[in-house]
Amino acid sequence: MQEKAICPNCEIKAMMGRITKESIEAAVAKMARLDGVTTEEGEYKRRLAVCEGCSSLRDGILCAECGSYVAYRARIVSSTCPFPGGDKWKD
């Protein structure tokens, strides 16, 4: 019997349907806090607030400029905001 071929696009759509803002936030909350690697809670929340008001935020979770999940990007100290024309996270 021949196996059914897997459609990569269908698999990606199915996977994306399981990824929610809540599931990403839960995963980020489980990340180990490492000095110099992960942001302090206040900075993390500040960065997320900037993203929440950004025109490049898609579906409340994705940055249209770089394609990353904003919660992960905001948690990493060395990350910058990829917005064209300048980093919106800079103070």
Side-chain angles (χ1 to χ4, degrees):
M1 187 182 331
Q2 188 175 20
E3 289 187 35
K4 183 178 177 184
I6 297 174
C7 170
N9 288 332
C10 295
E11 289 294 314
I12 290 170
K13 285 180 184 177
M15 182 179 67
M16 291 300 292
R18 294 186 300 268
I19 298 172
T20 64
K21 185 174 183 177
E22 292 78 20
S23 67
I24 292 170
E25 288 173 352
V28 169
K30 292 179 185 177
M31 290 174 70
R33 302 293 191 268
L34 300 170
D35 287 338
V37 177
T38 54
T39 56
E40 296 292 329
E41 195 64 22
E43 175 63 6
Y44 172 68
K45 288 182 178 182
R46 185 191 72 76
R47 287 179 174 192
L48 285 182
V50 171
C51 293
E52 291 283 330
C54 183
S55 61
S56 294
L57 184 66
R58 299 293 182 263
D59 300 323
I61 58 175
L62 288 172
C63 175
E65 304 306 327
C66 66
S68 68
Y69 293 107
V70 295
Y72 285 115
R73 189 174 194 88
R75 182 55 86 186
I76 305 302
V77 170
S78 61
S79 292
T80 59
C81 166
F83 194 77
D87 183 345
K88 289 185 168 191
W89 290 346
K90 283 192 175 183
D91 295 312

